[in-house]
CSV table of all heavy atoms in Angstrom, one decimal:
chain,number,residue,atom,x,y,z
A,95,PRO,N,13.9,-33.6,65.7
A,95,PRO,CA,14.2,-34.3,64.4
A,95,PRO,C,14.9,-33.4,63.5
A,95,PRO,O,14.6,-32.2,63.3
A,95,PRO,CB,12.8,-34.7,63.9
A,95,PRO,CG,11.9,-34.6,65.1
A,95,PRO,CD,12.4,-33.6,66.0
A,96,ASN,N,16.0,-33.9,62.9
A,96,ASN,CA,16.8,-33.1,61.9
A,96,ASN,C,16.1,-32.8,60.6
A,96,ASN,O,16.3,-31.8,60.1
A,96,ASN,CB,18.1,-33.9,61.6
A,96,ASN,CG,19.0,-34.0,62.8
A,96,ASN,OD1,19.0,-33.2,63.6
A,96,ASN,ND2,19.7,-35.1,62.8
A,97,ARG,N,15.3,-33.7,60.1
A,97,ARG,CA,14.7,-33.5,58.8
A,97,ARG,C,13.4,-32.7,58.8
A,97,ARG,O,12.9,-32.4,57.8
A,97,ARG,CB,14.4,-34.9,58.2
A,97,ARG,CG,15.6,-35.8,58.3
A,97,ARG,CD,16.1,-36.1,56.9
A,97,ARG,NE,17.1,-37.0,56.9
A,97,ARG,CZ,18.4,-36.8,56.5
A,97,ARG,NH1,18.7,-35.6,56.0
A,97,ARG,NH2,19.3,-37.7,56.6
A,98,ILE,N,12.8,-32.4,60.0
A,98,ILE,CA,11.6,-31.7,60.0
A,98,ILE,C,11.8,-30.3,60.6
A,98,ILE,O,12.4,-30.1,61.6
A,98,ILE,CB,10.6,-32.5,60.9
A,98,ILE,CG1,10.3,-33.9,60.4
A,98,ILE,CG2,9.3,-31.7,61.1
A,98,ILE,CD1,9.5,-34.7,61.3
A,99,ARG,N,11.3,-29.4,59.8
A,99,ARG,CA,11.4,-28.0,60.3
A,99,ARG,C,10.1,-27.5,60.7
A,99,ARG,O,9.1,-27.6,59.9
A,99,ARG,CB,11.9,-27.1,59.1
A,99,ARG,CG,13.3,-27.5,58.6
A,99,ARG,CD,13.8,-26.6,57.6
A,99,ARG,NE,14.8,-27.1,56.7
A,99,ARG,CZ,16.0,-27.2,57.0
A,99,ARG,NH1,16.5,-26.8,58.1
A,99,ARG,NH2,16.9,-27.7,56.2
A,100,PHE,N,10.0,-27.1,61.9
A,100,PHE,CA,8.7,-26.7,62.5
A,100,PHE,C,8.6,-25.1,62.4
A,100,PHE,O,9.5,-24.4,62.6
A,100,PHE,CB,8.6,-27.1,64.0
A,100,PHE,CG,8.6,-28.5,64.2
A,100,PHE,CD1,9.7,-29.2,64.6
A,100,PHE,CD2,7.4,-29.2,64.0
A,100,PHE,CE1,9.7,-30.6,64.7
A,100,PHE,CE2,7.4,-30.6,64.2
A,100,PHE,CZ,8.5,-31.3,64.6
A,101,ARG,N,7.4,-24.7,61.9
A,101,ARG,CA,7.1,-23.3,61.9
A,101,ARG,C,6.1,-23.0,62.9
A,101,ARG,O,5.0,-23.5,62.8
A,101,ARG,CB,6.7,-22.9,60.5
A,101,ARG,CG,7.8,-22.9,59.4
A,101,ARG,CD,7.3,-22.5,58.1
A,101,ARG,NE,6.7,-21.2,58.2
A,101,ARG,CZ,6.2,-20.5,57.2
A,101,ARG,NH1,6.2,-21.1,56.0
A,101,ARG,NH2,5.6,-19.3,57.4
A,102,LYS,N,6.4,-22.2,63.8
A,102,LYS,CA,5.5,-21.9,64.9
A,102,LYS,C,4.4,-20.8,64.5
A,102,LYS,O,3.3,-20.9,64.8
A,102,LYS,CB,6.2,-21.5,66.2
A,102,LYS,CG,7.0,-22.6,66.8
A,102,LYS,CD,7.7,-22.1,68.0
A,102,LYS,CE,8.4,-23.3,68.6
A,102,LYS,NZ,9.1,-23.0,69.9
A,103,ASN,N,4.9,-19.8,63.8
A,103,ASN,CA,4.0,-18.7,63.4
A,103,ASN,C,3.6,-18.7,62.0
A,103,ASN,O,4.5,-18.4,61.1
A,103,ASN,CB,4.6,-17.4,63.8
A,103,ASN,CG,4.8,-17.3,65.3
A,103,ASN,OD1,4.1,-17.8,66.1
A,103,ASN,ND2,5.9,-16.7,65.7
A,104,MET,N,2.4,-19.1,61.6
A,104,MET,CA,2.0,-19.1,60.2
A,104,MET,C,0.8,-18.2,60.2
A,104,MET,O,-0.2,-18.3,61.0
A,104,MET,CB,1.6,-20.5,59.8
A,104,MET,CG,1.2,-20.6,58.3
A,104,MET,SD,0.7,-22.3,57.8
A,104,MET,CE,2.2,-23.0,57.6
A,105,SER,N,0.9,-17.2,59.3
A,105,SER,CA,-0.3,-16.3,59.1
A,105,SER,C,-1.5,-17.0,58.6
A,105,SER,O,-1.4,-18.1,58.0
A,105,SER,CB,0.1,-15.1,58.2
A,105,SER,OG,0.2,-15.5,56.9
A,106,ASP,N,-2.6,-16.3,58.7
A,106,ASP,CA,-3.9,-16.9,58.2
A,106,ASP,C,-3.8,-17.1,56.7
A,106,ASP,O,-4.2,-18.1,56.2
A,106,ASP,CB,-5.1,-16.0,58.5
A,106,ASP,CG,-5.4,-16.0,60.0
A,106,ASP,OD1,-5.0,-16.9,60.7
A,106,ASP,OD2,-6.2,-15.1,60.4
A,107,GLU,N,-3.1,-16.2,56.0
A,107,GLU,CA,-3.0,-16.3,54.5
A,107,GLU,C,-2.1,-17.4,54.2
A,107,GLU,O,-2.4,-18.2,53.2
A,107,GLU,CB,-2.5,-15.0,54.0
A,107,GLU,CG,-2.4,-14.9,52.4
A,107,GLU,CD,-3.8,-15.1,51.8
A,107,GLU,OE1,-4.8,-14.7,52.4
A,107,GLU,OE2,-3.8,-15.7,50.7
A,108,GLU,N,-1.0,-17.6,54.9
A,108,GLU,CA,-0.1,-18.7,54.6
A,108,GLU,C,-0.8,-20.1,54.9
A,108,GLU,O,-0.6,-21.0,54.1
A,108,GLU,CB,1.2,-18.6,55.5
A,108,GLU,CG,2.1,-17.5,55.1
A,108,GLU,CD,3.3,-17.4,56.1
A,108,GLU,OE1,3.0,-17.5,57.3
A,108,GLU,OE2,4.4,-17.4,55.7
A,109,MET,N,-1.6,-20.1,55.9
A,109,MET,CA,-2.3,-21.3,56.2
A,109,MET,C,-3.3,-21.7,55.2
A,109,MET,O,-3.4,-22.8,54.7
A,109,MET,CB,-3.0,-21.2,57.6
A,109,MET,CG,-3.5,-22.5,58.1
A,109,MET,SD,-4.3,-22.4,59.7
A,109,MET,CE,-3.0,-21.7,60.7
A,110,LYS,N,-4.0,-20.6,54.7
A,110,LYS,CA,-5.0,-20.8,53.6
A,110,LYS,C,-4.3,-21.3,52.3
A,110,LYS,O,-4.8,-22.3,51.7
A,110,LYS,CB,-5.7,-19.5,53.4
A,110,LYS,CG,-6.7,-19.5,52.3
A,110,LYS,CD,-7.4,-18.2,52.1
A,110,LYS,CE,-8.4,-18.2,50.9
A,110,LYS,NZ,-9.0,-16.9,50.7
A,111,GLN,N,-3.2,-20.7,52.0
A,111,GLN,CA,-2.5,-21.1,50.8
A,111,GLN,C,-1.9,-22.5,50.9
A,111,GLN,O,-2.0,-23.3,49.9
A,111,GLN,CB,-1.3,-20.2,50.5
A,111,GLN,CG,-1.8,-18.8,50.1
A,111,GLN,CD,-2.6,-18.8,48.8
A,111,GLN,OE1,-2.4,-19.5,47.9
A,111,GLN,NE2,-3.7,-17.9,48.9
A,112,THR,N,-1.5,-22.9,52.1
A,112,THR,CA,-1.0,-24.3,52.3
A,112,THR,C,-2.1,-25.3,52.1
A,112,THR,O,-2.0,-26.3,51.5
A,112,THR,CB,-0.3,-24.4,53.7
A,112,THR,OG1,0.8,-23.5,53.7
A,112,THR,CG2,0.2,-25.8,53.9
A,113,LEU,N,-3.2,-25.0,52.7
A,113,LEU,CA,-4.4,-25.9,52.6
A,113,LEU,C,-4.9,-26.0,51.2
A,113,LEU,O,-5.3,-27.1,50.8
A,113,LEU,CB,-5.5,-25.4,53.6
A,113,LEU,CG,-5.2,-25.6,55.1
A,113,LEU,CD1,-6.3,-25.0,55.9
A,113,LEU,CD2,-5.0,-27.1,55.4
A,114,ILE,N,-4.9,-24.9,50.5
A,114,ILE,CA,-5.4,-24.9,49.1
A,114,ILE,C,-4.4,-25.8,48.3
A,114,ILE,O,-4.8,-26.6,47.5
A,114,ILE,CB,-5.5,-23.5,48.5
A,114,ILE,CG1,-6.7,-22.8,49.1
A,114,ILE,CG2,-5.6,-23.5,47.0
A,114,ILE,CD1,-6.7,-21.3,48.8
A,115,ALA,N,-3.1,-25.6,48.5
A,115,ALA,CA,-2.1,-26.4,47.8
A,115,ALA,C,-2.3,-27.9,48.1
A,115,ALA,O,-2.2,-28.8,47.2
A,115,ALA,CB,-0.7,-26.0,48.1
A,116,LEU,N,-2.5,-28.3,49.3
A,116,LEU,CA,-2.7,-29.6,49.7
A,116,LEU,C,-4.0,-30.2,49.1
A,116,LEU,O,-4.0,-31.3,48.6
A,116,LEU,CB,-2.8,-29.8,51.2
A,116,LEU,CG,-1.5,-29.6,52.0
A,116,LEU,CD1,-1.7,-29.6,53.5
A,116,LEU,CD2,-0.5,-30.7,51.6
A,117,ALA,N,-5.1,-29.4,49.1
A,117,ALA,CA,-6.3,-29.9,48.4
A,117,ALA,C,-6.2,-30.1,46.9
A,117,ALA,O,-6.7,-31.0,46.4
A,117,ALA,CB,-7.4,-28.8,48.7
A,118,GLU,N,-5.4,-29.2,46.3
A,118,GLU,CA,-5.2,-29.3,44.9
A,118,GLU,C,-4.4,-30.5,44.6
A,118,GLU,O,-4.6,-31.3,43.6
A,118,GLU,CB,-4.5,-28.1,44.3
A,118,GLU,CG,-5.5,-26.9,44.2
A,118,GLU,CD,-4.8,-25.6,43.8
A,118,GLU,OE1,-3.5,-25.6,43.7
A,118,GLU,OE2,-5.5,-24.6,43.5
A,119,ARG,N,-3.4,-30.8,45.4
A,119,ARG,CA,-2.5,-32.0,45.2
A,119,ARG,C,-3.4,-33.2,45.4
A,119,ARG,O,-3.3,-34.2,44.6
A,119,ARG,CB,-1.4,-32.0,46.2
A,119,ARG,CG,-0.4,-33.1,45.9
A,119,ARG,CD,0.8,-33.0,46.8
A,119,ARG,NE,1.3,-31.7,47.1
A,119,ARG,CZ,1.9,-31.4,48.2
A,119,ARG,NH1,2.2,-32.3,49.1
A,119,ARG,NH2,2.3,-30.2,48.5
Side-chain angles (χ1 to χ4, degrees):
N96 291 330
R97 308 248 186 242
I98 300 173
R99 300 183 202 278
F100 296 99
R101 289 184 52 183
K102 292 184 179 182
N103 299 324
M104 185 182 278
S105 71
D106 289 344
E107 186 60 31
E108 288 175 314
M109 192 177 303
K110 180 180 175 182
Q111 293 301 320
T112 301
L113 290 173
I114 289 171
L116 288 171
E118 287 174 351
R119 190 176 322 153

